[in-house]
């Protein structure tokens, strides 16, 4: 799991993850991008260009981000549901 990349997640997992990252404003994709784990990848000017979780996950796939990095960010913001979606889909 630690070596797998975001682009290796199934389409079903991506769709479920996107839906979850849009539901709760305090646990959404914008909060994730501001987390300590993601600040190096998504500086403020880049983060402003990402309109939704779908674009974020596509960008993470293009940047070859590891699933573990995504999990670390989700755990950091306390998004247990999103973590469980990834674990279930892996």
């Amino acid at each position: 799991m630690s070596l797998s990349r975001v682009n290796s997640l199934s389409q079903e997992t991506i769709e479920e993850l996107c839906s979850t990252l849009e539901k709760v404003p305090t646990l959404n994709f914008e909060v994730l991008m501001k987390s300590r784990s993601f600040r190096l990848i998504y500086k403020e000017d880049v983060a402003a260009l990402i309109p939704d979780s779908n674009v974020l996950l596509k960008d993470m796939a293009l940047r070859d981000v590891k699933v573990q990095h995504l999990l670390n960010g989700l755990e950091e913001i306390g998004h247990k549901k999103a973590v469980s979606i990834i674990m279930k889909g892996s």
Side-chain angles (χ1 to χ4, degrees), residues 8 10 20 22 30 32 45-46 54-56 66 78-79 88:
S8 69
S10 71
T20 297
E22 299 287 334
E30 292 169 317
L32 177 62
D45 57 336
V46 174
N54 189 39
V55 172
L56 173 62
K66 292 180 182 177
H79 204 315
K88 179 181 78 173

Side-chain angles (χ1 to χ4, degrees), residues 26-84:
T26 57
L27 297 175
N28 71 9
F29 73 99
E30 292 169 317
V31 175
L32 177 62
M33 286 191 296
K34 292 176 185 173
S35 71
R36 187 180 66 237
S37 299
F38 276 71
R39 272 184 264 161
L40 292 175
I41 300 174
Y42 295 102
K43 297 191 185 320
E44 204 170 312
D45 57 336
V46 174
L49 301 174
I50 299 187
D52 58 41
S53 58
N54 189 39
V55 172
L56 173 62
L57 291 171
K58 285 180 182 177
D59 187 73
M60 290 176 69
L62 289 173
R63 290 173 185 255
D64 214 21
V65 173
K66 292 180 182 177
V67 171
Q68 188 60 53
H69 192 91
L70 174 57
L71 285 170
N72 291 347
L74 292 168
E75 288 172 350
E76 185 180 326
I77 67 170
H79 204 315
K80 294 177 184 174
K81 171 108 173 126
V83 169
S84 70

Side-chain angles (χ1 to χ4, degrees), residues 5-20:
R5 309 289 178 172
V6 169
N7 61 1
S8 69
L9 294 172
S10 71
Q11 186 60 36
E12 181 182 323
T13 299
I14 294 288
E15 288 172 7
E16 197 173 347
L17 193 54
C18 285
S19 175
T20 297

